């Protein structure tokens, strides 16, 4: 039997604090119309004092495990670029708080593409017989890394976490992940960057300042690369697994910008109506965005068993990746908005 990862649980969460465009406009040279027309975002959720990435990750994983009906877990992967600490990894703490025992637990840092990379890593562990059941979490709290005076980033990012439970199964099962495509290009690393916090910044003669802890982005260049890379990666994956654009029922793409979503759909020749949109209510939640969008769609009854779902993401690094699956019969009650 070919050991194939099968999705059996799904859950997500966002912090309770809602920050709408009007609130942001009072501190920035912008307004609600500018934000909505350029990003498609109307509001986002930001974590309050004392809330860390692991807190959101634990809640999302708990909900995913409940959706899966419980059961043992052999491995836990947290995709995040905003870990609780530079060291140790966030995942072991999450596993301990979930009471999972001394299992393999580690982080993956691939920015907004992290969830797809983590899925692929979990799939490899299942295929190799290293694990039978894996929890994959995408979680980020970017509000702690935003320059409040930079409208390029301050209006985009929200905080959240989403999680899935995968188990070993067969390729023809509902919920089976059909394949992956991954890529990256470090020559463009400066297009999306947090300068401080690592050995590079601390090795500089002048040290680091407060501003070095903020994320910086070159919006126009990121847009161009995101559209190209997600479309190319998706097309390569579809060719690899023998699907056509007409076979796709839903596209769950990284929720960065509604114009990016629509442009990618156009390049793939997929109707916009088949693209999941969740960023209007939560913003760009980085590694959490795809599982958040899936959870929202499943909770509202938009995803039906047997439907074919294409996932694709792009993030700093540069990094990108795609995954495909057939949707299972799954119970999700968490409406995240």
């Amino acid at each position: 039997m070919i050991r194939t990862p099968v999705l059996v649980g799904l859950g997500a969460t966002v912090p309770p604090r809602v920050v709408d465009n009007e609130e942001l406009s009072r501190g920035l040279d912008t307004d609600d119309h500018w934000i909505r027309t350029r990003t498609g975002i109307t509001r986002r959720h930001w974590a309050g004092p004392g809330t860390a990435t692991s807190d959101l990750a634990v809640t999302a994983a708990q909900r995913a495990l409940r959706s899966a009906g419980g059961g043992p877990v052999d491995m836990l992967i947290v995709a995040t670029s905003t870990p609780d600490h530079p060291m140790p990894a966030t995942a072991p703490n999450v596993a301990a708080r979930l009471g999972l025992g001394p299992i393999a637990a580690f982080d993956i840092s691939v920015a907004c593409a992290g969830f797809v990379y983590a899925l692929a890593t979990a799939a490899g562990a299942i295929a190799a017989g290293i694990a039978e059941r894996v929890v994959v979490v995408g979680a980020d709290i970017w509000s702690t890394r935003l320059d409040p005076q930079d409208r390029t980033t301050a209006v985009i990012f929200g905080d959240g976490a989403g999680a899935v439970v995968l188990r070993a199964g067969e390729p023809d099962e509902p919920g089976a992940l059909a394949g992956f495509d991954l890529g990256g290009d470090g020559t463009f690393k400066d297009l999306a960057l947090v300068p401080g916090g690592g050995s590079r910044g601390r090795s500089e003669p002048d040290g680091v300042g407060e501003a070095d802890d903020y994320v910086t982005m070159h919006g126009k260049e990121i847009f161009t690369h995101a559209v190209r890379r997600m479309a190319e990666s998706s097309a390569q994956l579809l060719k690899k697994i023998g699907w056509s654009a007409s076979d796709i029922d839903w596209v769950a793409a990284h929720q960065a910008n509604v114009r990016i979503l629509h442009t990618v759909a156009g390049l793939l020749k997929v109707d916009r109506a088949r693209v999941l949109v969740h960023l209007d209510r939560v913003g760009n939640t980085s590694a959490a965005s795809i599982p958040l969008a899936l959870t929202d769609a499943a909770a509202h009854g938009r995803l039906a068993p047997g439907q074919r779902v294409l996932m694709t993401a792009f993030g700093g690094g540069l990094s990108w990746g795609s995954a495909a699956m057939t949707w299972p019969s799954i119970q999700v009650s968490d409406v995240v908005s």
Side-chain angles (χ1 to χ4, degrees):
M1 181 185 76
I2 299 175
R3 293 171 56 89
T4 300
V6 177
L7 189 149
V8 293
L10 177 66
T13 188
V14 291
R17 182 190 173 195
V18 177
V19 180
D20 61 24
N21 292 344
E22 293 295 342
E23 179 178 342
L24 286 180
S25 299
R26 293 194 287 269
L28 292 166
D29 180 22
T30 187
D31 57 29
D32 173 68
H33 176 75
W34 187 91
I35 298 170
R36 282 189 295 105
T37 55
R38 283 163 176 78
T39 70
I41 300 168
T42 60
R43 62 183 188 267
R44 71 286 295 148
H45 294 250
W46 283 358
T51 299
T53 295
S54 64
D55 300 321
L56 299 184
V58 167
T59 299
Q62 287 173 332
R63 293 176 175 179
L65 287 165
R66 183 175 67 230
S67 169
V73 174
D74 307 302
M75 179 179 290
L76 184 141
I77 307 171
V78 174
T80 184
S81 296
T82 60
D84 287 10
H85 309 284
M87 189 280 288
T90 299
N93 177 31
V94 173
R97 291 170 61 183
L98 291 169
L100 299 180
I103 65 169
F106 55 94
D107 293 359
I108 286 182
S109 177
V110 203
C112 300
F115 180 73
V116 174
Y117 268 72
L119 279 182
T121 303
I126 289 173
I130 298 171
E132 292 292 322
R133 286 167 61 91
V134 183
V135 175
V136 174
V137 185
D140 273 302
I141 294 184
W142 275 107
S143 61
T144 60
R145 293 284 193 173
L146 298 179
D147 180 351
Q149 302 304 315
D150 180 8
R151 73 174 182 175
T152 302
T153 57
V155 304
I156 295 174
F157 288 98
D159 303 334
V164 298
V165 179
L166 304 176
R167 65 159 172 81
E170 299 184 20
D172 57 352
E173 281 190 70
L177 289 161
F180 298 90
D181 178 82
L182 304 175
D185 188 347
T187 60
F188 296 99
K189 67 179 178 61
D190 292 337
L191 294 185
L193 179 70
V194 177
S199 62
R200 176 62 63 192
R202 293 182 179 276
S203 69
E204 296 296 332
D206 296 333
V208 295
E210 180 181 354
D212 291 319
D213 287 332
Y214 295 144
V215 62
T216 63
M217 288 179 57
H218 297 269
K220 291 182 179 179
E221 292 90 341
I222 286 289
F223 186 101
T224 300
H225 281 282
V227 167
R228 174 190 167 193
R229 300 301 190 177
M230 284 198 288
E232 289 179 348
S233 176
S234 296
Q236 289 171 7
L237 173 60
L238 293 178
K239 182 179 180 180
K240 185 187 305 182
I241 64 177
W243 291 9
S244 67
S246 61
D247 293 324
I248 301 170
D249 294 293
W250 294 103
V251 176
H254 169 53
Q255 306 283 299
N257 179 307
V258 72
R259 293 186 297 147
I260 290 177
L261 298 181
H262 290 164
T263 305
V264 170
L267 291 173
L268 293 174
K269 296 181 172 54
V270 173
D271 193 310
R272 290 183 181 182
R274 289 191 279 158
V275 178
L276 297 179
V277 178
H278 191 224
L279 64 86
D280 54 328
R281 289 157 283 159
V282 298
N284 178 348
T285 55
S286 193
S289 74
I290 289 178
L292 272 167
L294 291 173
T295 302
D296 178 76
H300 284 97
R302 300 182 69 190
L303 293 168
Q307 290 183 331
R308 290 182 169 182
V309 179
L310 171 68
M311 296 170 276
T312 187
F314 174 89
L318 299 176
S319 57
W320 57 87
S322 301
M325 66 174 298
T326 303
W327 196 251
S329 177
I330 194 170
Q331 297 298 317
V332 178
S333 58
D334 310 310
V335 178
V336 183
S337 62

